[in-house]
Amino acid sequence: MVTKKVAALVAAMGVLFVGQAALQYNTFPTWQKNYSPSSVGDIPSGLSQDQLLFALTGFRELVGGILWVRANSFFESGNYDAVVPIIRLVTWLDPRQIDVYSTGMWHVAYNFTDQEHRADRRYVPSALALGREGTLNNANTYELFFETGWLWYHRIEDDFENAIKWFEEANEREDILPARANILAQAFLRAGQPDKAIALFERQLEALEAEVEKDPTFGNRNLRDTVENNLDTNLVRMASRGWFASQRGESLQGYDTYPPFDVGFSARVTVVAPMVIRVQGTYGVQPLGTRIRFVLKDADMPNSVPGGMKWDSLDSFRLDPPTGITYVQDQLFIRNRRFDKTLDLSRDPTMYSFTADEYDVEFFYSPNVAPAHIQDKFGYNGEGFTDSNFLNTEVRPGQRVIYNKMTLTRDQIRRTGEWRDRVPVIQTPNFVAPSQGRPEDDVIRVPNLRADNQ
Amino acid sequence: MKAETSPASSLKTLGRTGFGQKIAVVLSIAKTTVEEAIRRRVLLVILLIGILFLVVAPGLNVLTARTQAAILSSFLLGILQLTGALIAIVLTVYLIPNEIERRTIYTILCKPVQRWQFLIGKYLGAVFALGMMMALMTVVMLLIFWLQSTQGLDFPPSRMMETVQVCAMYFVQMSLLAAVAMFFSTFVTPLVNFFLSGGVYLVGTLFNPYFDSISRAEGASAFAKAGATVVGTVIPNFANFNVQNTVINPGAEIANPTWYYVQITLYGLFYISILLVAAILIFDRREL
């Protein structure tokens, strides 16, 4: 009798066990779909947020908030390194913390600098990866799409197609602010696509006109006036730069961008002391506002592209940059048609380890990032400028840019071996010493009302 | 009056016969257990601390500028879950050992009360008591949400309803935890049971995401994945009931909430039944 009862209970247990297993087997995909971090895409799954002990009691978001407050105190005290792991932890704990993502991206991309406040751009791929992760976790709001686009637009200042891609994603979200939606138009302009900028301005103006009809408050009127002004200004610029003429296949003769101006680029790089580099050169543009990009990087650097690197090469956010790689990027400001800057790279061995045998020294200038008053002469994609030696149409397809690459060895940069007592100097064949100057008629004349009156 | 509420005297319904009589016995024991639980100071202290934390929670709004609702709901639900887990374990681990230690179990079992009736009655009583305490905390929590929403917190009534659903799932979760503790209490001491049940809760809570990681890991072998599947379908999976994401992050939605809730409730009931049957099998053979 007892045996029968036990057998019945064991059998019941068996049936229940199979039942619960079937239910669990059926439930898991649903759980996975709704609650797993991987449900939002290919976010790194090295450590799931729910695997953290905090998840046990459901305090994930709270702990994230407390950690972020702590991160703020680290930031205020200048302990930037301590902030990065907290950013990682907080976004794992609470992937909905939009402010942490956006602040974290900014912090990683902008705040790590050397002694001369030169940014450590090895962090930029990490910042982009963080932004991408943030957009996957917060796809319902425009903010992180915008912030990621802003990194491309402002920090990287290259490959504006990527900025456009992210800004367009942001503009598709309902909560996009009108003032921020405008930035997409600026990205179109930077990418040399003013027609798309105009189309966007027109759509915005139409929408804002309707909004002002409904609610004629100062804010709405101001927004409408801004867009209208942008539209008018850019139409004038497109006309004066010969954009419409070029679209019709007509000659640019008579327009501001004709004839193309030869900027006469030349450069010299001198290693004045171990890991201290002086960069000099010429660039025949008189108005202020021109910046030439200077890059010094390992010759065998992975994901290297001319004048930069493949910025979106990282799939996931990393706490540390690739420490064995040396990548220096700086801006050379043009004054009186010359540039002359000394970069002391000796004080930051963690940023500039100089462990490779050879280094590429690159100079890069794209009219796409020139200020408007210079673009008025150079055009949107460099159709109004040229250089008899270094004009390049290959490194950035569709653009006319200045690009030059030279090579330095580790011994030259470190002033070791045969270069211990010799000063390494590399220069372009056309480099002109400062004392010789350039004839006055080489100076670019930017057309504007004030110049005409003079 | 006191004699009427004691387990022994509550068995006056034994005059009935058959299945109804057996159920009446179970309910009598459950009723007595509820009354005992309400009188236990340690449980009341845990409940009081839980409610105290709930009340001070709105002060945490300073932690973040734009996610007050998320932080507050996360904290309140976390407190409710933690307090519920503590109550479930502390309440259950002592139920049978106390009866044995005080020898009151002999007076109950010498009546025509079978051991399974005693065990099921004790469990149901614990779950009733747990439900009352969790309901009280849920009411306090909803009150806090309502008060905060009158002061500008973005917490619409629809989220209040979702919060109630989440608390209901927590209740099923804690009932399962109580069943785990009840099962262990048939053969281990209360102290060991406390840590054992806590450990099972920990593993059961963490397993789903762990399994998720293994199933997605490129380097994991087929054997590891198969092993994870087997273990995942065998251990009590508490993570299934953690549905608070829908309240904390309004963007998160369950594709088919009704079916999901029904499914995991059934899962909980199945597992509770397994544990109780196993407990009965062990308790039946135990020397008292």
Side-chain angles (χ1 to χ4, degrees):
Chain A
M1 187 65 186
V2 172
T3 316
K4 270 189 179 177
K5 183 186 166 191
V6 170
L9 284 174
V10 170
M13 260 182 72
V15 170
L16 287 166
F17 212 84
V18 171
Q20 72 80 26
L23 277 166
Q24 169 60 16
Y25 193 75
N26 197 41
T27 305
F28 181 71
T30 319
W31 178 91
Q32 197 178 32
K33 189 177 175 188
N34 291 304
Y35 299 108
S36 163
S38 53
S39 66
V40 288
D42 49 355
I43 284 179
S45 56
L47 178 63
S48 155
Q49 49 189 300
D50 285 297
Q51 277 173 271
L52 294 167
L53 190 60
F54 305 118
L56 175 66
T57 49
F59 293 121
R60 228 171 53 198
E61 289 78 7
L62 175 74
V63 174
I66 292 169
L67 280 172
W68 191 233
V69 171
R70 183 77 183 117
N72 188 53
S73 67
F74 281 133
F75 184 81
E76 296 296 334
S77 60
N79 189 0
Y80 294 165
D81 287 325
V83 178
V84 180
I86 294 182
I87 292 167
R88 175 68 290 174
L89 201 53
V90 173
T91 49
W92 264 339
L93 287 167
D94 186 4
R96 311 285 168 152
Q97 288 262 18
I98 292 168
D99 290 339
V100 178
Y101 272 115
S102 58
T103 313
M105 287 164 66
W106 162 76
H107 177 60
V108 171
Y110 285 84
N111 290 341
F112 289 95
T113 60
D114 63 12
Q115 299 287 327
E116 295 179 337
H117 305 293
R118 193 177 299 109
D120 187 347
R121 290 180 189 256
R122 296 173 305 172
Y123 275 105
V124 172
S126 246
L128 284 175
L130 185 66
R132 186 166 155 271
E133 179 188 315
T135 59
L136 290 169
N137 279 325
N138 299 279
N140 57 333
T141 177
Y142 84 94
E143 291 194 44
L144 293 172
F145 292 96
F146 178 84
E147 296 293 344
T148 310
W150 183 254
L151 275 188
W152 281 101
Y153 180 84
H154 184 260
R155 173 83 294 193
I156 295 169
E157 275 195 308
D158 203 348
D159 198 353
F160 286 98
E161 288 295 341
N162 271 306
I164 290 170
K165 184 184 83 179
W166 287 104
F167 286 149
E168 281 182 334
E169 286 277 357
N171 282 17
E172 283 175 15
R173 268 66 194 174
E174 285 181 5
D175 58 343
I176 182 80
L177 301 173
R180 290 196 162 186
N182 271 334
I183 303 294
L184 173 60
Q186 301 304 325
F188 279 133
L189 292 171
R190 285 276 179 245
Q193 300 164 13
D195 50 334
K196 290 184 179 171
I198 292 299
L200 180 64
F201 282 139
E202 284 174 342
R203 285 200 303 274
Q204 287 180 330
L205 185 61
E206 194 178 339
L208 287 166
E209 292 280 15
E211 190 64 31
V212 169
E213 282 283 316
K214 282 191 291 184
D215 180 15
T217 53
F218 173 76
N220 284 340
R221 284 185 284 122
N222 192 31
L223 271 174
R224 181 205 53 195
D225 294 348
T226 303
V227 171
E228 194 172 22
N229 183 51
N230 283 340
L231 183 60
D232 292 346
T233 307
N234 279 288
L235 283 171
V236 170
R237 285 206 156 113
M238 286 167 78
S240 64
R241 293 176 188 178
W243 169 266
F244 297 112
S246 70
Q247 294 301 299
R248 292 192 298 267
E250 296 171 3
S251 163
L252 289 178
Q253 198 163 3
Y255 290 99
D256 294 345
T257 50
Y258 188 85
F261 177 76
D262 189 338
V263 293
F265 170 80
S266 70
R268 169 192 275 178
V269 177
T270 310
V271 183
V272 293
M275 289 175 281
V276 179
I277 292 167
R278 184 179 183 193
V279 186
Q280 300 164 274
T282 57
Y283 198 81
V285 179
Q286 183 70 16
L288 291 175
T290 298
R291 297 170 299 163
I292 293 177
R293 183 186 300 172
F294 170 80
V295 175
L296 190 154
K297 62 189 177 190
D298 294 358
D300 58 351
M301 192 180 94
N303 299 309
S304 176
V305 296
M309 68 166 85
K310 192 173 183 302
W311 300 104
D312 53 355
S313 58
L314 273 187
D315 290 331
S316 58
F317 177 65
R318 288 188 189 164
L319 299 181
D320 295 310
T323 48
I325 288 174
T326 299
Y327 183 90
V328 185
Q329 182 175 322
D330 209 340
Q331 303 287 352
L332 306 172
F333 290 90
I334 311 299
R335 190 182 291 272
N336 294 327
R337 295 173 290 150
R338 307 200 68 87
F339 54 88
D340 188 343
K341 187 168 188 175
T342 300
L343 290 75
D344 185 352
L345 309 175
S346 65
R347 292 184 288 172
D348 301 276
T350 54
M351 268 178 75
Y352 314 122
S353 57
F354 290 113
T355 52
D357 292 331
E358 285 198 341
Y359 297 87
D360 289 342
V361 177
E362 296 177 308
F363 294 89
F364 177 83
Y365 176 80
S366 167
N368 286 50
V369 295
H373 65 281
I374 291 176
Q375 264 195 349
D376 282 341
K377 173 59 194 166
F378 287 178
Y380 291 104
N381 288 306
E383 53 273 20
F385 100 132
T386 189
D387 187 285
S388 50
N389 298 301
F390 301 106
L391 181 72
N392 191 309
T393 55
E394 291 172 0
V395 295
R396 296 291 185 276
Q399 294 178 43
R400 293 156 60 86
V401 302
I402 301 293
Y403 178 68
N404 174 242
K405 182 169 89 171
M406 297 186 277
T407 302
L408 278 172
T409 66
R410 180 172 55 197
D411 281 347
Q412 287 175 324
I413 292 175
R414 288 183 170 274
R415 296 286 295 270
T416 55
E418 63 173 304
W419 298 99
R420 187 180 303 276
D421 301 317
R422 293 165 59 197
V423 176
V425 179
I426 53 171
Q427 64 181 47
T428 58
N430 65 332
F431 178 73
V432 182
S435 57
Q436 291 171 281
R438 294 185 67 192
E440 188 60 28
D441 57 6
D442 272 0
V443 175
I444 180 174
R445 299 197 181 281
V446 176
N448 60 46
L449 292 173
R450 186 177 297 172
D452 290 347
N453 289 337
Q454 290 167 353
Chain B
M1 188 67 187
K2 190 175 180 182
E4 279 183 7
T5 57
S6 71
S9 61
S10 295
L11 303 181
K12 58 189 177 186
T13 51
L14 288 178
R16 298 174 197 166
T17 55
F19 186 70
Q21 180 190 355
K22 288 173 182 170
I23 295 299
V25 171
V26 168
L27 292 179
S28 293
I29 294 170
K31 183 176 171 229
T32 314
T33 307
V34 172
E35 289 164 353
E36 272 179 25
I38 290 170
R39 284 199 296 267
R40 282 185 62 188
R41 284 179 190 166
V42 63
L43 293 175
L44 294 179
V45 168
I46 294 171
L47 181 66
L48 199 67
I49 291 172
I51 290 174
L52 196 68
F53 269 109
L54 292 179
V55 172
V56 300
L60 293 165
N61 281 352
V62 294
L63 285 177
T64 179
R66 292 202 298 167
T67 52
Q68 291 97 332
I71 294 287
L72 186 64
S73 51
S74 157
F75 186 66
L76 292 181
L77 288 167
I79 285 294
L80 191 135
Q81 199 176 18
L82 180 65
T83 312
L86 269 176
I87 290 173
I89 294 176
V90 172
L91 176 63
T92 320
V93 293
Y94 287 106
L95 281 181
I96 292 176
N98 268 3
E99 296 284 358
I100 295 171
E101 194 182 318
R102 294 192 308 227
R103 298 178 190 280
T104 46
I105 194 167
Y106 301 115
T107 56
I108 300 168
L109 294 181
C110 70
K111 306 280 180 186
V113 174
Q114 293 177 39
R115 289 191 181 191
W116 71 266
Q117 289 171 308
F118 175 76
L119 202 134
I120 300 288
K122 281 287 178 188
Y123 174 74
L124 287 181
V127 168
F128 280 137
L130 180 67
M132 284 166 59
M133 293 180 190
M134 288 186 74
L136 179 65
M137 284 193 289
T138 303
V139 169
V140 172
M141 187 169 66
L142 291 175
L143 200 62
I144 291 167
F145 279 136
W146 178 75
L147 283 172
Q148 289 295 306
S149 63
T150 59
Q151 293 171 23
L153 184 79
D154 180 23
F155 206 89
S158 59
R159 278 172 84 183
M160 299 258 193
M161 283 310 296
E162 285 173 0
T163 306
V164 174
Q165 287 174 341
V166 170
C167 293
M169 289 303 108
Y170 281 176
F171 172 64
V172 180
Q173 185 185 46
M174 296 314 154
S175 300
L176 178 56
L177 179 59
V180 170
M182 177 64 85
F183 168 70
F184 286 132
S185 72
T186 57
F187 59 94
V188 296
T189 60
L191 186 65
V192 175
N193 191 355
F194 183 85
F195 290 106
L196 211 50
S197 302
V200 170
Y201 182 57
L202 181 73
V203 173
T205 303
L206 299 185
F207 194 79
N208 256 354
Y210 181 60
F211 175 42
D212 182 33
S213 293
I214 290 178
S215 63
R216 287 173 177 278
E218 288 176 5
S221 65
F223 180 75
K225 290 183 180 182
T229 307
V230 170
V231 177
T233 49
V234 168
I235 64 160
N237 212 323
F238 291 99
N240 285 340
F241 305 96
N242 290 339
V243 291
Q244 64 270 36
N245 257 9
T246 51
V247 171
I248 298 169
N249 303 302
E253 287 178 359
I254 298 175
N256 187 344
T258 309
W259 174 232
Y260 185 80
Y261 290 149
V262 167
Q263 200 165 241
I264 59 171
T265 305
L266 273 176
Y267 170 78
L269 291 175
F270 268 60
Y271 220 109
I272 288 168
S273 305
I274 291 168
L275 289 165
L276 291 180
V277 170
I280 289 166
L281 281 171
I282 294 169
F283 192 54
D284 264 354
R285 273 151 192 72
R286 183 168 172 179
E287 290 285 338
L288 296 174

